[in-house]
Amino acid sequence: MCPIKHNKHLLMATKSQFFVCLLFTGLMFSILPVTAADDEYLKMLEGEAADLQLDNKGQLKQEDKKAEDSASFGWGGELEGENIPSGLAKEDFESVLKKNFYGTYVFFKKLNSTDKDTVYYRYSKEQKPDLENVRNNIMTLLKR
Amino acid sequence: MKKSILLGVLMCSTAIATSSMAANLEVKITKDKQYSVVNHGAELVKVQRIQDTSHVIDGSFAKTSRPCPPFCVNPMTVADGVATVAELEVIKFMETAMHRGDGALIDARTPSWHKKGTIPGSINIPFTVFEKPVDDPELAEVLESLGAVERYDVGTVTRTMEQLGMFGGDQKTENWDFSNAKQLMLWCNGPWCGQSPRAIRALLSMGYPAEKLYYYRGGMQMWQSLGLTTVLPNEASEYASK
């Protein structure tokens, strides 16, 4: 084997190893700042969040929700108990009746518009509306 | 007889007039909208504005300056095809897409922010989840919960045809089918917050259709500035924040 040729091969191998190393190091350096910056960003986010205080005036508390509308019901008709939320607009009142108390809604629908308004008016005046009262009002007006 | 009819008419008209004023708020959302009712997990929450007209914003969102970078002002548009929205569109979204079940309002902030208070109806999926590698099981679970369907072994011919725009290819990638994916409205702390823009960019990079993404740039900063209702998170809203 020619020693010169052998050395040439060795030199080429060393060169390519050097380039691979250089590439790898470059790659590492290009990834590291991104990760470091991300860590720094998350650290700053957490720092800000630690002192975070929301303006609580508009925050709905659990007890407010219960007091205000016995809000533990969904749109799907699975209303727990016989409570109807207070302070609903007329369209929402009808919508809640339709979706959660369809039986009551069927009778409500038979009322003329003035009587419907009367039912809604009486409901809106109640501090803690009771479905039983709504039903009685509907039936009284229907029987009239 | 005439007198009693007249009295009846008068009483009815008073009842109607009073009923229309019954829930009359001084500080409405718009001239015609007093409040909205939104599903927040299993609860119905009334979204309205603070009624105290002398109230000024308090707490962290009264702060004007944070170091930039990283808390720099974002441009209006986060990415091509992604619509930027404001409060009325958020409320409309709550009443329509979210109510139908084909839309999700996403609080893209890290859990430490979310747990202090959120916009009603939001679910917390931090931007860091969207930035996970495509093969990450948590990311896959989140995408599936948003209506995306994972795809396996899509044939080359099928994929090529999809890339040519056939078979609804614009809603599909090699790994995901977004045809029935929900519309997502993402938000974070406000115009200075980079968390939701990062979530949106990550979603786009994995092929989520831009037309199904919305960016609420105002975020918590504007929501609070307008005195709109916030809630403490419940179990349903903490879906991906563990």
Side-chain angles (χ1 to χ4, degrees):
Chain A
M1 188 190 267
C2 169
I4 299 169
K5 206 175 177 184
H6 178 74
N7 281 347
K8 205 175 170 185
H9 277 284
L10 192 70
L11 193 69
M12 276 176 73
T14 317
K15 255 186 182 174
S16 58
Q17 269 179 1
F18 172 74
F19 280 120
V20 168
C21 274
L22 198 68
L23 195 70
F24 184 71
T25 315
L27 208 65
M28 285 299 288
F29 273 104
S30 64
I31 292 167
L32 272 176
V34 176
T35 318
D38 257 14
D39 286 350
E40 191 58 31
Y41 179 55
L42 285 172
K43 209 188 286 175
M44 288 184 86
L45 273 180
E46 293 311 305
E48 280 281 322
D51 305 326
L52 179 68
Q53 270 193 321
L54 248 64
D55 186 335
N56 288 332
K57 182 103 179 180
Q59 192 164 84
L60 215 57
K61 304 282 182 305
Q62 213 57 37
E63 56 270 30
D64 292 346
K65 274 190 265 176
K66 277 183 197 146
E68 190 186 302
D69 59 15
S70 307
S72 54
F73 67 97
W75 288 106
E78 66 280 14
L79 199 128
E80 288 173 14
E82 293 284 72
N83 289 318
I84 190 161
S86 64
L88 293 173
K90 190 161 178 276
E91 309 82 76
D92 295 330
F93 171 71
E94 286 197 33
S95 172
V96 166
L97 280 188
K98 189 176 179 180
K99 294 195 170 153
N100 296 291
F101 306 106
Y102 193 72
T104 309
Y105 178 71
V106 168
F107 292 103
F108 178 78
K109 217 169 51 170
K110 290 180 182 172
L111 296 172
N112 62 38
S113 61
T114 310
D115 286 346
K116 280 181 184 166
D117 281 328
T118 308
V119 171
Y120 173 69
Y121 169 66
R122 287 177 184 163
Y123 147 82
S124 67
K125 296 305 278 181
E126 284 186 274
Q127 290 278 325
K128 285 185 180 175
D130 187 351
L131 185 68
E132 198 52 41
N133 291 345
V134 173
R135 281 181 184 144
N136 289 338
N137 285 331
I138 293 170
M139 295 319 285
T140 311
L141 290 165
L142 264 181
K143 282 179 197 163
R144 211 176 40 173
Chain B
M1 177 70 181
K2 263 185 184 175
K3 216 174 180 180
S4 64
I5 292 172
L6 199 67
L7 193 68
V9 170
L10 193 69
M11 277 175 70
C12 276
S13 54
T14 313
I16 294 163
T18 323
S19 71
S20 64
M21 285 159 57
N24 209 7
L25 301 179
E26 187 183 0
V27 185
K28 298 177 185 178
I29 294 173
T30 65
K31 190 168 147 273
D32 305 315
K33 185 184 267 308
Q34 304 204 50
Y35 62 86
S36 181
V37 180
V38 56
N39 254 350
H40 182 67
E43 297 170 336
L44 273 190
V45 168
K46 196 197 264 187
V47 175
Q48 62 179 46
R49 298 176 64 193
I50 295 170
Q51 292 302 300
D52 177 3
T53 52
S54 63
H55 180 69
V56 289
I57 193 166
D58 183 24
S60 301
F61 289 99
K63 195 170 170 181
T64 58
S65 307
R66 291 172 180 84
C68 164
F71 304 117
C72 300
V73 180
N74 292 321
M76 186 59 136
T77 307
V78 67
D80 284 345
V82 178
T84 302
V85 296
E87 295 70 34
L88 293 184
E89 288 81 17
V90 175
I91 292 168
K92 184 88 181 161
F93 186 78
M94 289 168 167
E95 292 170 343
T96 54
M98 277 170 66
H99 183 61
R100 288 194 305 266
D102 59 11
L105 185 62
I106 293 177
D107 179 349
R109 301 173 303 166
T110 54
S112 49
W113 289 89
H114 173 75
K115 72 178 182 193
K116 302 271 177 85
T118 190
I119 294 176
S122 301
I123 50 169
N124 183 217
I125 308 177
F127 73 97
T128 46
V129 173
F130 292 117
E131 288 185 339
K132 283 178 185 277
V134 274
D135 55 352
D136 186 276
E138 191 185 357
L139 177 64
E141 193 188 321
V142 164
L143 289 178
E144 278 171 4
S145 77
L146 298 173
V149 178
E150 198 160 7
R151 307 178 83 195
Y152 303 96
D153 304 324
V154 183
T156 319
V157 178
T158 310
R159 189 67 202 126
T160 309
M161 291 174 95
E162 283 173 358
Q163 279 169 332
L164 291 170
M166 286 180 258
F167 310 132
D170 57 331
Q171 303 279 314
K172 293 171 185 167
T173 68
E174 204 174 329
N175 302 313
W176 290 98
D177 179 356
F178 294 103
S179 309
N180 295 312
K182 291 183 181 187
Q183 296 176 68
L184 308 181
M185 192 172 274
L186 296 102
W187 63 272
C188 56
N189 286 318
W192 51 271
C193 172
Q195 300 182 71
S196 50
R198 280 179 65 164
I200 289 170
R201 281 192 283 269
L203 280 161
L204 289 171
S205 74
M206 62 185 97
Y208 213 100
E211 69 274 14
K212 288 188 173 178
L213 297 175
Y214 299 89
Y215 169 44
Y216 172 36
R217 182 176 178 269
M220 190 54 102
Q221 179 93 54
M222 280 310 297
W223 195 262
Q224 286 256 286
S225 298
L226 291 167
L228 287 158
T229 305
T230 58
V231 287
L232 287 172
N234 58 22
E235 249 175 56
S237 71
E238 284 177 13
Y239 170 75
S241 66
K242 294 155 207 157

